[in-house]
Amino acid sequence: MKVLAIDVGGTAIKSALVHADGTIEDFRELATPPVIAEGILEAAKGYNDYAAVGICTAGLVDYKNGVVIFSSAALGYHDNEPLAEEIGSVVGVPVVVENDVNAAAMGEAMFGAGRGCSDFVCLTYGTSIGGALYLNGGLYRGSRNMAGEIGHVATHAFGKPCPCGKRGCYSEYASVTALVNEAKKINAAYDSGRAIVAHLDSDPALLEVVQTWAHEVCVGLMGVVHTFDPPRVILGGGLMSDDGMIQLIRKALPDHILDSYSSVEIVGAETGNQAGLLGAAALAMEAVNRA
Ligand SMILES: [Zn+2]
């Protein structure tokens, strides 16, 4: 089986055919146009013989009905856009749409660090923190397609204001942006996750900042681990591809989780910068297998 995977981002629409073993073929990329559906149809041109289309996108998505409820203004969707229907009526095969964080978790389940695991929580650390729940062998989406918003669970009462309008949210303390903001207080050159990883071994002050951040990460993991008791938690985002970061988080974890949960595995995501495409492909394959 092969499916067409489409990853809609703010700057580019990436597309490729993906085989059942995760092999990616005929990768293409085009600049994201003002009308997203037109861009997706343009991206789909020239691909043949695929069983289904999987699309992942930023925003709030109603997976069951294939509708993008809303997304950031940077992406040109209209509210409640029936994307699966719009694309499906042209390509003539089943189309599934899901938000990028849930898609990434599906990609990990089928092709990455979640293989062989029927329950895990997937957290993605970047400018904010995204979360997805994979429970009993499938995504748990909640009643409003909004389950897994762990980035907006408060870890500090009366804490920093968050763009969501509340205070003390996990994202404001444990995202990569939060880490970079603290690291820049030591040295303005520590302005990205990459710069921080590069200087971690040579600057003890930076290491201390990262260790404090690792505890902030673990406070969020405490909630997740104590609530869901998963055998595994998968940490994604560019910074978490560094094994040293994962080690620092593992080291801080026992201060926060109860001993009874100590066998939980904390692992880095494996699909990396292909998380979007492999996630979209995994969703399309799941839809075909279910049909
Ligand atoms: Zn918030």
Side-chain angles (χ1 to χ4, degrees):
M1 183 192 2
K2 67 185 170 188
V3 296
L4 176 58
I6 296 179
D7 177 5
V8 178
T11 54
I13 295 179
K14 298 173 187 170
S15 57
L17 291 173
V18 180
H19 293 259
D21 64 356
T23 310
I24 291 176
E25 179 191 330
D26 203 358
F27 173 80
R28 299 179 207 170
E29 199 167 352
L30 59 85
T32 307
V35 181
I36 301 286
E38 285 176 9
I40 291 171
L41 290 173
E42 183 62 32
K45 274 183 195 161
Y47 290 109
N48 295 302
D49 302 327
Y50 48 84
V53 179
I55 301 170
C56 78
T57 179
L60 180 60
V61 177
D62 174 355
Y63 168 82
K64 208 170 136 205
N65 295 304
V67 171
V68 179
I69 300 170
F70 66 81
S71 190
S72 79
L75 290 175
Y77 292 108
H78 55 80
D79 285 353
N80 296 309
E81 178 154 353
L83 194 64
E85 191 185 306
E86 289 173 313
I87 306 303
S89 66
V90 178
V91 298
V93 296
V95 176
V96 290
V97 186
E98 183 53 283
N99 76 62
D100 41 12
V101 183
N102 277 350
M106 273 303 295
E108 291 297 325
M110 208 173 270
F111 305 116
R115 267 174 302 178
C117 193
S118 63
D119 300 86
F120 62 84
V121 177
C122 191
L123 297 172
T124 308
Y125 297 77
T127 53
S128 65
I129 298 171
L133 308 171
Y134 190 89
L135 304 172
N136 300 319
L139 284 171
Y140 177 79
R141 294 181 168 93
S143 65
R144 301 170 191 83
N145 303 293
M146 293 198 286
E149 276 291 0
I150 294 149
H152 296 287
V153 171
T155 51
H156 292 249
F158 312 111
K160 297 178 196 173
C162 177
C164 77
K166 303 300 178 193
R167 300 187 78 98
C169 291
Y170 184 42
S171 278
E172 294 303 300
Y173 295 87
S175 64
V176 176
T177 302
L179 170 62
V180 167
N181 287 342
E182 291 303 313
K184 280 199 296 195
K185 291 176 185 169
I186 305 174
N187 186 330
Y190 301 155
D191 60 355
S192 67
R194 194 173 304 213
I196 290 169
V197 167
H199 294 91
L200 198 55
D201 291 337
S202 57
D203 185 342
L206 178 64
L207 178 61
E208 205 170 304
V209 165
V210 174
Q211 282 168 332
T212 301
W213 171 80
H215 282 281
E216 293 288 357
V217 170
C218 288
V219 173
L221 296 184
M222 173 179 78
V224 163
V225 171
H226 288 176
T227 304
F228 297 104
D229 186 22
R232 194 175 295 169
V233 179
I234 300 173
L235 309 182
L239 191 65
M240 299 300 186
S241 63
D242 180 73
D243 197 48
M245 288 291 165
I246 300 288
Q247 297 292 354
L248 286 172
I249 291 162
R250 282 183 189 149
K251 204 171 153 207
L253 195 65
D255 285 355
H256 305 280
I257 65 162
L258 294 169
D259 287 350
S260 337
Y261 300 87
S262 61
S263 61
V264 64
E265 298 170 289
I266 306 296
V267 301
E270 290 177 5
T271 56
N273 54 15
Q274 292 175 330
L277 280 179
L278 288 178
L283 285 155
M285 287 175 195
E286 185 200 42
V288 171
N289 291 335
R290 210 178 36 224

Coordinates of all heavy atoms in Angstrom, one line a residue, residues 60 62 65-71 77-83 86:
L60 N -7.3 23.7 14.9 CA -8.2 22.8 15.5 C -9.0 22.0 14.4 O -9.6 22.7 13.6 CB -9.2 23.6 16.4 CG -10.2 22.8 17.2 CD1 -9.6 21.8 18.1 CD2 -11.2 23.7 17.9
D62 N -11.6 18.8 13.3 CA -12.6 17.8 13.6 C -12.3 16.6 12.7 O -12.6 16.6 11.5 CB -14.0 18.4 13.3 CG -15.1 17.3 13.4 OD1 -14.8 16.2 13.6 OD2 -16.3 17.7 13.3
N65 N -15.1 14.5 10.9 CA -15.8 15.1 9.7 C -14.9 15.7 8.7 O -15.3 16.3 7.7 CB -16.8 16.1 10.2 CG -18.0 15.5 11.0 OD1 -18.6 14.6 10.5 ND2 -18.1 15.9 12.2
G66 N -13.6 15.7 9.0 CA -12.6 16.2 8.0 C -12.6 17.7 7.9 O -12.4 18.2 6.8
V67 N -13.0 18.4 9.0 CA -13.2 19.8 8.9 C -12.1 20.5 9.7 O -11.8 20.2 10.9 CB -14.6 20.2 9.5 CG1 -14.8 21.7 9.6 CG2 -15.7 19.6 8.6
V68 N -11.5 21.6 9.1 CA -10.6 22.5 9.9 C -11.5 23.5 10.6 O -12.1 24.4 9.9 CB -9.5 23.1 9.0 CG1 -8.6 24.0 9.8 CG2 -8.7 22.1 8.3
I69 N -11.7 23.4 11.9 CA -12.6 24.3 12.6 C -12.0 25.8 12.6 O -12.7 26.7 12.2 CB -12.9 23.8 14.0 CG1 -13.5 22.4 13.9 CG2 -13.8 24.7 14.8 CD1 -13.6 21.7 15.2
F70 N -10.8 25.9 13.0 CA -10.1 27.2 12.8 C -8.6 26.9 12.9 O -8.2 26.0 13.4 CB -10.6 28.3 13.7 CG -10.2 28.1 15.2 CD1 -9.0 28.4 15.7 CD2 -11.2 27.6 16.1 CE1 -8.7 28.2 17.0 CE2 -10.9 27.4 17.4 CZ -9.6 27.7 17.9
S71 N -7.9 27.9 12.3 CA -6.4 27.8 12.4 C -5.9 29.2 12.5 O -6.6 30.1 12.6 CB -5.9 27.1 11.1 OG -4.5 26.8 11.2
Y77 N -7.2 29.3 5.8 CA -8.5 28.6 5.9 C -9.6 29.5 6.2 O -9.4 30.5 6.8 CB -8.4 27.5 7.0 CG -7.4 26.4 6.8 CD1 -6.3 26.3 7.6 CD2 -7.7 25.4 5.9 CE1 -5.4 25.3 7.5 CE2 -6.8 24.3 5.8 CZ -5.6 24.3 6.6 OH -4.7 23.2 6.4
H78 N -10.8 29.1 5.7 CA -12.0 29.8 6.3 C -12.5 28.9 7.4 O -12.2 27.7 7.5 CB -13.0 30.2 5.3 CG -13.5 29.0 4.5 ND1 -14.5 28.1 5.0 CD2 -13.3 28.6 3.2 CE1 -14.8 27.2 4.1 NE2 -14.0 27.4 3.0
D79 N -13.2 29.5 8.4 CA -13.6 28.8 9.6 C -14.5 27.6 9.1 O -15.3 27.8 8.2 CB -14.4 29.7 10.5 CG -13.5 30.6 11.3 OD1 -12.2 30.4 11.2 OD2 -14.0 31.5 12.0
N80 N -14.4 26.5 9.8 CA -15.2 25.3 9.5 C -15.0 24.9 8.0 O -16.0 24.5 7.3 CB -16.7 25.5 9.8 CG -16.9 25.7 11.3 OD1 -16.4 24.9 12.1 ND2 -17.5 26.8 11.7
E81 N -13.8 24.9 7.5 CA -13.6 24.5 6.1 C -13.6 23.0 6.0 O -12.8 22.3 6.7 CB -12.2 25.0 5.7 CG -11.9 24.6 4.3 CD -10.9 25.5 3.6 OE1 -10.6 26.6 4.1 OE2 -10.5 25.2 2.5
P82 N -14.5 22.4 5.2 CA -14.6 21.0 5.0 C -13.5 20.4 4.1 O -13.8 20.0 3.0 CB -16.0 20.8 4.4 CG -16.2 22.1 3.6 CD -15.5 23.2 4.3
L83 N -12.3 20.4 4.6 CA -11.1 20.2 3.8 C -11.1 18.8 3.2 O -10.8 18.6 2.0 CB -9.9 20.4 4.6 CG -8.6 20.5 3.8 CD1 -8.6 21.7 2.9 CD2 -7.4 20.6 4.8
E86 N -13.5 18.8 0.2 CA -13.0 19.6 -0.9 C -11.9 18.8 -1.7 O -11.9 18.9 -2.9 CB -12.4 20.9 -0.3 CG -13.4 21.9 0.2 CD -12.7 23.1 0.9 OE1 -11.8 22.9 1.7 OE2 -13.1 24.2 0.6

